[in-house]
């Protein structure tokens, strides 16, 4: 944790979005752009961590226009990712999994590989279904220092409620995979005012209808979490957090 900024030592992130650079980008190009902005700040996305996605249209191997989910591939880093670092999945073949009550990791991974648009792309993230089940066009899942500090504290849930109210929902710790993704979808259906999900001891999920909106929602919630920790004082940060 970098010791700069306020009492807590956690500094709110800078907004690096540049309108001129993002203008005219395709959905996949905009996904690459925002992913690299998020990855440029290691207090938001640690090396190799986090995953991002976008939904859009692409041509399959027969030239048919297909609804796809582009999601970060396993083993890639947001700070340096290129278009080839994302897996493209046929969204219409992924979404039916939302109706299942359970699914083990091996079956989920096998199903997702069968949904791939190209056999040469990277393996999709283990958290792919999280991105698919949130209906927004753009989704970001990151592990910001400020969010981890808040969500790992014994009083984190209370502080989150005081800070975000109904703008964020809280998920008690669950291992990434099908069950976590399905539970997040349920929470968002039950809480339509929510703009983010706080994952206990894990991270943050935000989204938007544009790449810019998703990116700026991430910056906003991380900044608000950092400010909340700072208001709670240094003892909150250094003596009460269990990382």
């Amino acid at each position: 944790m970098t010791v700069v900024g306020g009492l807590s030592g956690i500094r709110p992130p800078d907004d690096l979005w540049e309108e001129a650079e993002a203008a005219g980008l395709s959905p996949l190009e905009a996904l690459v752009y925002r992913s690299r902005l998020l990855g440029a700040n290691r207090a938001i996305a640690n090396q190799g961590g986090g995953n991002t996605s976008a939904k859009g249209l692409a041509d399959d191997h027969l030239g048919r226009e297909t609804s796809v989910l582009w999601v970060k591939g396993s083993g890639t880093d947001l700070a340096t990712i290129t278009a080839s670092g994302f897996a493209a999945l046929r969204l219409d073949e992924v979404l039916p999994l939302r109706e299942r009550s359970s699914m083990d990791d091996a079956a989920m991974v096998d199903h997702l590989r069968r949904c791939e648009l190209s056999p040469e792309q990277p393996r999709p993230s283990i958290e792919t279904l999280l991105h698919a089940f949130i209906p927004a066009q753009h989704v970001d899942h990151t592990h910001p220092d400020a969010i981890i500090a808040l969500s790992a504290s014994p009083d984190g849930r209370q502080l989150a409620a005081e800070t975000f109210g109904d703008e964020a929902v809280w998920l008690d710790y669950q291992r990434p995979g099908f069950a976590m993704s399905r539970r997040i979808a349920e929470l968002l259906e039950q809480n339509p005012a929510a703009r983010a999900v706080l994952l206990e001891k894990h991270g943050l999920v935000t989204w938007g209808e544009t790449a810019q909106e998703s990116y700026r929602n991430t910056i906003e919630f991380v900044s608000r979490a950092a400010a909340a920790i700072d208001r709670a004082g240094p003892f909150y940060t250094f003596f009460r957090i269990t990382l």
Side-chain angles (χ1 to χ4, degrees), residues 20-125:
E21 290 188 36
L25 297 179
S26 70
L28 179 56
E29 291 169 339
L31 174 58
V32 172
Y33 176 67
R34 90 167 189 273
S35 299
R36 293 179 72 124
L37 291 187
L38 293 170
N41 186 339
R42 292 306 187 190
I44 293 179
N46 52 306
Q47 187 168 2
N51 36 76
T52 54
S53 70
K55 301 177 182 77
L57 298 173
D59 290 340
D60 69 7
H61 63 292
L62 294 178
R64 298 172 298 192
E65 190 173 69
T66 304
S67 179
V68 301
L69 169 73
W70 290 283
V71 64
K72 179 194 159 190
S74 295
T76 56
D77 182 37
L78 290 178
T80 57
I81 198 165
T82 62
S84 64
F86 290 92
L89 307 174
R90 297 178 182 86
L91 192 56
D92 291 343
E93 297 178 5
V94 176
L95 289 178
L97 296 183
R98 174 69 179 81
E99 303 308 315
R100 296 198 183 189
S101 59
S102 63
M103 192 175 200
D104 63 41
D105 286 351
M108 179 184 70
V109 170
D110 180 66
H111 183 96
L112 292 177
R113 294 309 298 253
R114 295 171 186 270
C115 298
E116 293 177 357
L117 205 62
S118 167
E120 300 175 354
Q121 63 189 28
R123 179 169 60 87
S125 165

Side-chain angles (χ1 to χ4, degrees), residues 150 155-168 170 198 224:
L150 186 155
D155 298 329
R157 187 166 191 162
Q158 177 182 341
L159 184 58
E162 294 170 354
T163 303
F164 302 115
D166 63 2
E167 292 185 272
W170 176 280
L198 302 182
R224 290 168 68 181

Side-chain angles (χ1 to χ4, degrees), residues 185-206:
E186 291 173 345
L187 286 171
L188 294 179
E189 288 172 357
Q190 296 162 11
N191 298 274
R195 300 172 51 226
V197 181
L198 302 182
L199 309 176
E200 183 183 26
K201 299 181 180 180
H202 183 167
L204 173 71
V205 183
T206 59

